Amino acid sequence: MNNLLYQVDDRPPMLTTVLLAAQHMLAALGGIIAVPLVIGAVLKLPADQIVALVNAALLGSGIVTIIQCKGVGPVGIRLPCVMGTSFAFVGAAISIGFEHGVPGILGSSLAGSAIMIVGSFFMPQIRKLFPHTVTAVVVTMIGLSLVPVAIDWAAGGKGAANYAAPINLGIALFVLVTVIGLVQFGKGIISAAAVVIGMAIGYVVCLALGLVDFSSVAKATTFALPQPLQYGMTFPLSGILAMGLAYVVTIVETTGTFMALGTATNTKVRGKHLCRGVLCDGLGSAFVSVLGSPAVSTFAQNVGVISLTGVASRHVVALTGAFLLLAGLFPVLGAVVVTIPQPVLGGAGLMMFAMILAAGVQMLASMEHNKRNGLIIAVSLGCGLAVSARPELLAKMPAIVSEIFGSGISTGAIVAVLLNLVLPGREAEAHDEESEEPPQPLLVKNIEAA
């Protein structure tokens, strides 16, 4: 099993908790604000509406993160999950927005969340579709999908005029080497907080080089209260169907993320855990829709932080939720964090996301090597990479096909599940699934044997 510095229910010292919570926030913040920014830019919304969407997204993500980590009755998986606005909903949101505006997006998101809420009660059955072979494929595909994101950050941001400039790559490499050194040679809190320390050092270097833009801080308001239902809501049938389909895809992706999280935290994720987690996703999306934010889901990138630092405490990530909540109430705080140059994020992100990929590879290596497993792995990873590397592959397909298979993670997961169902030998796989201990990566087994 993974050697963890802090287990899921551990409570690290306060200073340690604050640093580690900030680390998770830095990993998630860019993704959370990106969705409302993209939707606002494409729909050409006024600046004040875009700001309101961003604030609502931060505030809502923070509240739902706390509930997911701490749990409220049957809601919340009680694992270190960071929640945030999801790109799985962007396509549907934009298509709805062109015709029905922001009220149509929020109303469709609220109505569509019923799919996830109802679906959560069938998670024990859905869990059976994710035996070890399928889980290994999904974890690997999550890593493969996230690594290019970190590479774009390291190069200066996708579409940036100075993309891949030597200065950007140099800063990213410096941060990457710093994080590696802190993880390998640091002790205690230094090693656990390697990402946030490495990013802080990289940020200071960027300040010295004059590469930090503070214009967003100057424009940000100090304090802003949320205004629920400020746009109103409409419920177009076409929008509800489009958003409902996005929720179905999100259930698949979220299940894979929870399974990856189970691997990272040494937790056997069973159907009842998935039920609580997906229910929180669904209710959380309904809540943030009323708040005025796009729908939320579990962030996969923060699994990499846990894998890298060995800190699996859900109480740390609950504090991350509190930080996100404050960033929503005090936009100036979020604006300060946004000043972190993309290459700094890229250097740290490459390490974090590659850790998820490494975990997936270890899981693949630990499985029985036979023709059936080989086919499932090869075909599902190949299909997942096909749509990830060449998203234009689906450009001429019907909208419903693009919605379902637009993500490499969902494509890989769906293909792996289908192949596991139709190829002979599923009974043996199902029997293995009921064993108490999940298969451990070969590297971990060798370490424990030594």
Side-chain angles (χ1 to χ4, degrees), residues 319-375:
L319 183 59
T320 299
F323 287 166
L324 292 172
L325 190 157
L326 288 174
L329 291 175
F330 296 90
V332 68
L333 298 179
V336 170
V337 177
V338 171
T339 64
I340 299 174
Q342 297 245 345
V344 174
L345 293 171
L350 184 60
M351 184 75 177
M352 293 186 296
F353 302 163
M355 289 296 292
I356 302 176
L357 177 58
V361 170
Q362 286 188 324
M363 292 173 70
L364 292 174
S366 70
M367 296 187 312
E368 181 183 352
H369 297 284
N370 55 41
K371 185 186 296 185
R372 181 181 187 277
N373 288 345
L375 280 173

Side-chain angles (χ1 to χ4, degrees), residues 17-29 32 55-70 79-84 287-288 291 299 302 313-330 333:
T17 299
V18 170
L19 283 174
L20 298 176
Q23 194 162 251
H24 277 281
M25 181 181 177
L26 293 176
L29 192 68
I32 292 173
N55 291 344
L58 289 169
L59 181 63
S61 297
I63 293 171
V64 182
T65 294
I66 294 171
I67 295 172
Q68 189 73 281
C69 293
K70 294 287 192 178
L79 289 176
C81 298
V82 176
M83 305 294 295
F287 167 72
V288 300
L291 205 59
F299 269 25
N302 290 84
S313 171
R314 61 193 176 99
H315 304 293
V316 166
V317 179
L319 183 59
T320 299
F323 287 166
L324 292 172
L325 190 157
L326 288 174
L329 291 175
F330 296 90
L333 298 179

Side-chain angles (χ1 to χ4, degrees), residues 407-430:
S407 159
I409 299 171
S410 60
T411 299
I414 291 170
V415 172
V417 167
L418 291 176
L419 286 175
N420 181 62
L421 290 174
V422 301
L423 292 179
R426 183 184 169 223
E427 292 77 13
E429 189 86 28

Side-chain angles (χ1 to χ4, degrees), residues 89 96 103-119 233-248 282-283 285-290 293 295:
F89 300 100
I96 296 167
I105 295 173
L106 299 179
S108 299
S109 181
L110 175 61
S113 66
I115 296 288
M116 208 162 196
I117 294 169
V118 173
M233 282 188 177
T234 59
F235 302 91
L237 180 59
S238 60
I240 293 171
L241 292 175
M243 199 63 76
L245 183 59
Y247 275 111
V248 171
L283 291 174
S285 291
F287 167 72
V288 300
S289 299
V290 174
S293 164

